[in-house]
Amino acid sequence: MKTAALYTLGCKVNQYETEAMAELFSAAGYEIVDFSEKSDIYVINTCSVTNMSDRKSRQIIRRAKKTNPDSLIAVTGCYAQTAPDEVLSIDGVNIVIGTKDRKNIVNLIETLETTSSINHVSDIMSNHEFEELQIKNYSDRTRAFIKIQEGCNQFCSYCVIPYARGPVRSRPMKEVIREIQELASNSFKEIILVGIHVASYGVDIENTSLETLITEIDKIEGIERIRLSSIEPMTLNSAFIDKIKDSKKLCHHFHISLQSGCDATLKRMNRKYTALQFKEIVDGLRAAFPDSAITTDIMVGFPGESDEEFTESLNFIREVEFADAHIFQYSRRKGTPAAKRPDQIPPEIKEKRSKIIISETEKSRDAFLEKFIGKSMRVLFERRTKDGLFEGKTDNYITVHVPSDIDLNDQFKDVLLERNENGIMIGKITE
């Protein structure tokens, strides 16, 4: 039996696509082995959101070739799509596929010889069809990703992803529902709706929207939680909130990408909202879901970000009081408008600002967690930690650890939250 090993870099969408490609290889008779093992075929699903992502992708490709010099190597994903010639020039790469035609990856690879060097990347900007890649057999029975859309039409001035993923293409609702029903019949309890720009789901399909999809999933027996991945703020307006607030299964966790709390910076970023609009959305969510966790992404060091703009953003972040945040430094991406700006920020200033924001968001995270100490919350457990504790998450995405002599994986339990240890709540089972 031939072997295949797959490696994922980047986002939840990539994770979903890698799982789906692994199933294609399994269906074709391949044994899926760990990426660290010697394999006949290696597939690297790359990310290109930062320069570091590109560099890590190259390192993984070279690692695979070193593990088995006689292997065939296929490279897919965003880095492959935006820089196919660069990827193909890496020693050992046999085929570059990009972000289209992954459903044909097995056939494409089986036509190759070890001396092959093929660029199979096509123009993604002219692609207007959603490529069906789905997962039927997850190794983790607790939570499942469901990819509902592809592409992005936003073109933020710093972001290469629209060029890597193409325009918005929504997955037909009946296909989404069918996959979730299948997962429910296989004992999955929580599903996570993922996409490149989840908020735009349905804009290209008549009578289809994200809120309509949530309403339909709410009716599926067996599914107990619906979780949204990162979502753009302007989707979460009062009309949207009114339509979802009565959902019995929607998790009260909203990851809303802020990027900056300064209007001048947001405008240069080509973000389509102001800080005030963002705050109104957060207030609306908290009014509808009082226990909700609002998390975010924050960029520091965007070109032209003055000390005054940074301070304005910092003060806004303090005002919103996020439950958690992902802080990252602006990375210059070739081909984007921001990369051409002459007012790039020096690395040492980015690093300093990043540390300040991290410190502030850790304070607001701890303040959020303090509100739940002494309360009993329902936790879905999903793994045992190295320390022998069981880890799970609440509806509002609080990570919880508890001691237990019995296996808690894939079970809901009521847990009394007792204390916060570096962003993780320690508790005890009460039922």
Side-chain angles (χ1 to χ4, degrees):
M1 181 182 288
K2 287 188 175 182
T3 56
L6 297 90
Y7 193 98
T8 310
L9 296 109
C11 66
K12 291 182 174 68
V13 173
N14 268 14
Q15 292 174 41
Y16 179 94
E17 291 166 350
T18 299
E19 287 278 353
M21 286 187 285
E23 284 200 11
L24 292 174
F25 278 101
S26 293
Y30 287 78
E31 178 188 359
I32 306 301
V33 299
D34 189 87
F35 198 81
S36 62
E37 297 179 30
K38 186 175 181 179
S39 181
D40 298 309
I41 294 168
Y42 293 96
V43 178
I44 297 93
N45 195 3
T46 62
C47 175
S48 193
V49 71
T50 65
N51 287 324
M52 182 63 73
S53 303
D54 288 357
R55 189 181 313 156
K56 183 70 181 292
S57 297
R58 293 192 292 269
Q59 290 172 351
I60 298 300
I61 293 166
R62 294 186 180 109
R63 184 196 302 176
K65 198 62 180 178
K66 186 176 181 181
T67 304
N68 182 11
D70 297 323
S71 63
L72 285 169
I73 294 182
V75 185
T76 73
C78 292
Y79 178 40
Q81 182 68 41
T82 56
D85 292 336
E86 183 177 310
V87 172
L88 205 59
S89 71
I90 301 171
D91 183 46
V93 174
N94 299 103
I95 185 169
V96 183
I97 299 174
T99 59
K100 183 182 176 184
D101 257 359
R102 277 80 48 89
K103 65 182 180 182
N104 296 318
I105 189 168
V106 177
N107 291 336
L108 288 168
I109 287 177
E110 288 184 340
T111 64
L112 298 175
E113 298 178 357
T114 54
T115 55
S116 297
S117 182
I118 298 172
N119 181 350
H120 190 73
V121 174
S122 57
D123 178 17
I124 200 68
M125 301 308 290
S126 62
N127 188 18
H128 296 283
E129 291 185 8
F130 182 89
E131 182 179 41
E132 278 290 340
L133 280 172
Q134 64 170 286
I135 305 168
K136 295 181 179 178
N137 302 304
Y138 277 88
S139 57
D140 179 352
R141 289 178 54 250
T142 305
R143 309 161 81 207
F145 297 135
I146 306 294
K147 183 179 175 183
I148 65 170
Q149 70 83 227
E150 176 66 276
C152 179
N153 298 340
Q154 298 299 298
F155 290 96
C156 298
S157 64
Y158 53 82
C159 187
V160 74
I161 299 306
Y163 308 98
R165 291 284 181 167
V168 168
R169 289 97 74 200
S170 300
R171 188 179 184 185
M173 191 181 299
K174 65 178 182 179
E175 293 298 323
V176 178
I177 296 301
R178 184 179 58 79
E179 184 175 358
I180 295 173
Q181 288 172 334
E182 192 169 335
L183 290 166
S185 69
N186 285 288
S187 302
F188 283 88
K189 295 179 173 67
E190 178 177 319
I191 56 106
I192 306 166
L193 303 181
V194 302
I196 298 302
H197 193 263
V198 168
S200 61
Y201 176 76
V203 299
D204 56 330
I205 302 178
E206 191 175 355
N207 299 321
T208 304
S209 66
L210 182 58
E211 57 267 38
T212 304
L213 178 61
I214 292 169
T215 301
E216 290 304 308
I217 299 172
D218 224 46
K219 301 173 185 176
I220 299 175
E221 291 186 16
I223 298 298
E224 299 191 41
R225 285 181 176 176
I226 306 165
R227 198 176 292 281
L228 298 175
S229 60
S230 180
I231 192 164
E232 287 296 300
M234 295 311 290
T235 302
L236 298 166
N237 53 38
S238 57
F240 181 89
I241 294 171
D242 283 343
K243 290 176 182 176
I244 65 169
K245 67 181 180 182
D246 294 327
S247 169
K248 295 178 174 59
K249 299 179 180 180
L250 183 66
C251 290
H252 296 178
H253 168 227
F254 302 94
H255 188 87
I256 318 169
S257 192
L258 171 64
Q259 305 302 357
S260 174
C262 170
D263 286 348
T265 309
L266 288 171
K267 187 174 182 179
R268 289 199 306 280
M269 289 178 169
N270 197 32
R271 302 290 285 175
K272 314 245 180 348
Y273 54 85
T274 65
L276 177 60
Q277 288 173 320
F278 188 97
K279 183 63 165 57
E280 288 172 347
I281 286 160
V282 171
D283 290 344
L285 285 169
R286 285 174 172 161
F289 310 101
D291 64 342
S292 62
I294 310 295
T295 59
T296 196
D297 300 308
I298 300 166
M299 181 188 296
V300 298
F302 185 76
E305 185 184 59
S306 64
D307 288 340
E308 292 76 17
E309 288 184 359
F310 172 72
T311 300
E312 184 178 335
S313 185
L314 175 63
N315 289 336
F316 182 78
I317 291 162
R318 287 170 174 155
E319 181 184 356
V320 175
E321 299 179 319
F322 291 105
D324 208 348
H326 171 224
I327 317 302
F328 60 104
Q329 299 175 28
Y330 166 74
S331 180
R332 200 171 189 171
R333 308 306 291 134
K334 184 180 179 181
T336 61
K340 301 172 185 176
R341 293 186 63 93
D343 48 358
Q344 303 290 320
I345 305 299
E348 60 272 17
I349 294 179
K350 293 182 192 176
E351 183 66 23
K352 180 181 178 181
R353 290 176 180 175
S354 178
K355 288 179 179 178
I356 292 170
I357 298 289
I358 290 171
S359 176
E360 288 300 322
T361 53
E362 284 179 349
K363 290 176 187 175
S364 63
R365 177 202 68 195
D366 290 342
F368 174 77
L369 294 177
E370 289 287 327
K371 298 175 184 177
F372 297 93
I373 291 177
K375 293 186 177 181
S376 182
M377 301 191 74
R378 198 163 182 247
V379 177
L380 177 56
F381 288 95
E382 53 195 75
R383 72 181 189 97
R384 189 190 287 272
T385 70
K386 293 179 181 178
D387 299 329
L389 300 174
F390 277 92
E391 179 177 295
K393 286 194 165 52
T394 63
D395 167 273
N396 58 353
Y397 214 60
I398 296 173
T399 300
V400 177
H401 285 181
V402 302
S404 176
D405 295 328
I406 62 171
D407 188 348
L408 297 178
N409 281 338
D410 197 36
Q411 295 186 48
F412 280 102
K413 294 290 182 183
D414 290 330
V415 177
L416 178 66
L417 304 184
E418 297 180 315
R419 65 185 185 279
N420 167 28
E421 291 187 359
N422 298 317
I424 295 173
M425 293 294 274
I426 309 300
K428 63 180 180 182
I429 296 171
T430 58
E431 61 179 25

